[in-house]
Amino acid sequence: MSMRKPCLSCWIILFLTMSALATSTCLAEPVTRSSGRPELDGLKKYYSVPNFRLGGTYDVGDEATCEFGGKGGVTLESLGQSPLKLAYLAVGTPTRDKNGKIDNAVLISSYWSGDSTWSYFWWYDGQKGNDFSEGPVVGPGKMIDTNKFYVVFVDSLALWGTSKPSDGLGMKFPDYSCFDMVQANYRLLKDHLGVSKVKLATGVSMGAMQSYVLAVLHPEFVEAIMPIGGGTAMEPVMRWRSQLMTAAMKSDPVWMSTKGDYYSLPKKDHPNRGLMFGWSLMDSLLLDVDFRNSQPWEKLKSSVFYWEPKGEEGTELAKKALDYDVNDLLKLNGALRNYDIHGHLDRIKAKTLTLLITNDDSASLAKAREAEGNIPGAKLAHFASPLAHMAIFRAPHRLKADVKAFFREIGMME
């Protein structure tokens, strides 16, 4: 039986089809990794929340109006995208109430530049980050005991494993707020994991902010909060830093010439220099000044921005340019710009212990004392460190006596 040779037009159609498939595959390639710590990526799980509204208004005190985001918000589906994707990492031993719901959850929200795998890296028993944190915080028999509690590390909205601008929308991704971050993960806990009660909500820096917000939005859902190194409003110095970083990223010639629509370019041609410049500005202010001045320039220059770096100059910044995306960070900075829940602190019913570093100008001790006075029964503990803001990961151990007393008070420790 003879076979007909394909005609020229058939070959052309086949070629165009394969080219289209190759192009779509290329466009689908993620701009950034799904996990901050690639070796822990296999521990991360995902959940989508259909029709979640981003960038809307929250009527604090009226939970029914913001179950799936704020009023007047925009869904990703309406912009031609998949539903809002969230990411988390869960360990430990769940217990259940009479309705079969988990009632012993501990929530650890992620910080500004990190995700659930980074939080796990710093705090979970046996991880390499334990040394920097001066010991594990989470694990069997540890301070947060996974033999007794179900611990959920969550990604924050619009970075790493969650839906984010670099997935395709770029600057068309909806503006969102810290309330959106918290409400989205509330849906993850309630609808997907079946959590009826959070025993403790904690986190460092932006994770601390989210702990406060959860207790404001859902006072009956969370029994206790332990914010570490984060305030109840975006304080002026942090806002100043955020604006400097934002301006640096937007000043990149690539970002300016493309107006933020640079995703047709390979990653190496993205506005990476603006990202490096912005990150250098942010990093310069995170450690105590005297500590910085005690370090040799040869050590510091890897985190210092140069337009035309040579040798070891800016090498740490170059790594960050590969790990992050400018539009993702621009939207994240925008989300925190108007963060302020100071007027709602009287809604917090959760027992509260705030941990701070006294010489960390990212979270003012004076403002924390003011907030403490507005949260019934709240406690505050603090210490000084040459690492300033970076000492947040060490806070549970540096203030171990205060933490253990608080954990005994809320029934997490005997």
Side-chain angles (χ1 to χ4, degrees), residues 237-411:
V237 170
M238 270 306 297
R239 189 163 184 168
W240 186 350
R241 292 176 186 171
S242 175
Q243 179 54 34
L244 283 174
M245 185 182 196
T246 294
M249 291 189 291
K250 286 187 173 183
S251 72
D252 186 290
V254 176
W255 198 93
M256 295 178 70
S257 64
T258 62
K259 297 181 180 179
D261 186 13
Y262 48 81
Y263 295 112
S264 61
L265 304 173
K267 175 66 170 150
K268 66 181 181 65
D269 296 328
H270 284 196
N272 297 321
R273 289 187 296 176
L275 188 152
M276 293 164 65
F277 192 6
W279 206 288
S280 183
L281 289 167
M282 186 69 79
D283 272 359
S284 69
L285 300 166
L286 293 180
L287 298 175
D288 185 84
V289 173
D290 289 336
F291 177 74
R292 285 285 198 198
N293 281 329
S294 71
Q295 296 179 306
W297 181 253
E298 289 303 307
K299 184 175 181 179
L300 290 178
K301 67 181 181 181
S302 66
S303 296
V304 176
F305 177 71
Y306 295 80
W307 281 109
E308 301 295 339
K310 299 176 182 178
E312 295 299 308
E313 295 171 348
T315 51
E316 289 302 313
L317 299 176
K319 294 176 185 176
K320 287 183 168 65
L322 294 176
D323 287 346
Y324 297 89
D325 173 73
V326 165
N327 288 338
D328 290 350
L329 293 176
L330 287 173
K331 287 289 182 174
L332 178 58
N333 286 352
L336 299 179
R337 191 169 297 127
N338 296 316
Y339 165 71
D340 186 349
I341 57 167
H342 202 73
H344 301 297
L345 296 180
D346 59 347
R347 284 181 47 79
I348 296 179
K349 296 181 180 180
K351 293 184 181 298
T352 302
L353 172 65
T354 298
L355 307 182
L356 282 185
I357 296 84
T358 52
N359 57 324
D360 174 13
D361 58 13
S362 299
S364 157
L365 182 59
K367 293 285 188 182
R369 285 179 172 146
E370 184 181 345
E372 180 190 10
N374 290 319
I375 302 173
K379 298 179 176 66
L380 173 65
H382 51 85
F383 68 104
S385 170
L387 295 181
H389 190 65
M390 291 303 294
I392 51 181
F393 302 104
R394 299 179 174 183
H397 287 290
R398 289 293 180 95
L399 299 169
K400 186 177 292 185
D402 299 275
V403 173
K404 284 187 172 182
F406 181 65
F407 281 8
R408 283 192 288 269
E409 180 184 347
I410 64 176

